[in-house]
Amino acid sequence: MSIALTAAQSRFLRGQAHGLKAILQVGGKGLTGAVVTEVDGALEHHELIKVKVAAGDREARDAMVADLAARCGAALVQRIGNVAVLYRPSRDKRQIVLPRP
């Protein structure tokens, strides 16, 4: 299950993520179960997070980010260089109110 965002919602989330620091880093071991679990927990708590992805080339980095978003059920808001912004609304308490589509 992935989330589809409108252009206005993506723009809003990019603005919200601007001041955030990357809270997780995916290293050379790639996407382990522990990394996916950690990202899942961070998304549940924060809804909008930045993740640093250390991969050799752009294609590998893009594939890793897409796989991470799919496995966590999150939307990829933006990717600049090796930093990706992911969004998924919290199941328990929603903090971010998106603009209407």
Side-chain angles (χ1 to χ4, degrees):
M1 170 202 98
S2 67
I3 301 163
L5 297 172
T6 65
Q9 290 170 335
S10 290
R11 196 168 40 252
F12 171 77
L13 289 171
R14 282 196 307 271
Q16 294 289 309
H18 182 72
L20 296 178
K21 300 275 186 240
I23 61 171
L24 288 165
Q25 182 159 353
V26 180
K29 293 186 172 136
L31 288 180
T32 62
V35 169
V36 173
T37 302
E38 197 66 32
V39 169
D40 197 51
L43 282 167
E44 185 59 35
H45 188 260
H46 298 287
E47 294 185 323
L48 187 67
I49 63 170
K50 280 186 180 177
V51 179
K52 266 191 178 174
V53 180
D57 62 349
R58 178 179 287 184
E59 288 79 25
R61 197 167 47 232
D62 287 349
M64 200 179 291
V65 168
D67 187 30
L68 180 62
R71 287 170 70 174
C72 292
L76 175 62
V77 176
Q78 179 180 37
R79 188 191 66 73
I80 297 177
N82 63 348
V83 177
V85 177
L86 299 175
Y87 168 76
R88 187 185 73 202
S90 174
R91 294 176 189 93
D92 298 332
K93 55 181 187 350
R94 296 198 50 182
Q95 301 163 345
I96 299 173
V97 179
L98 294 175
R100 298 189 62 77

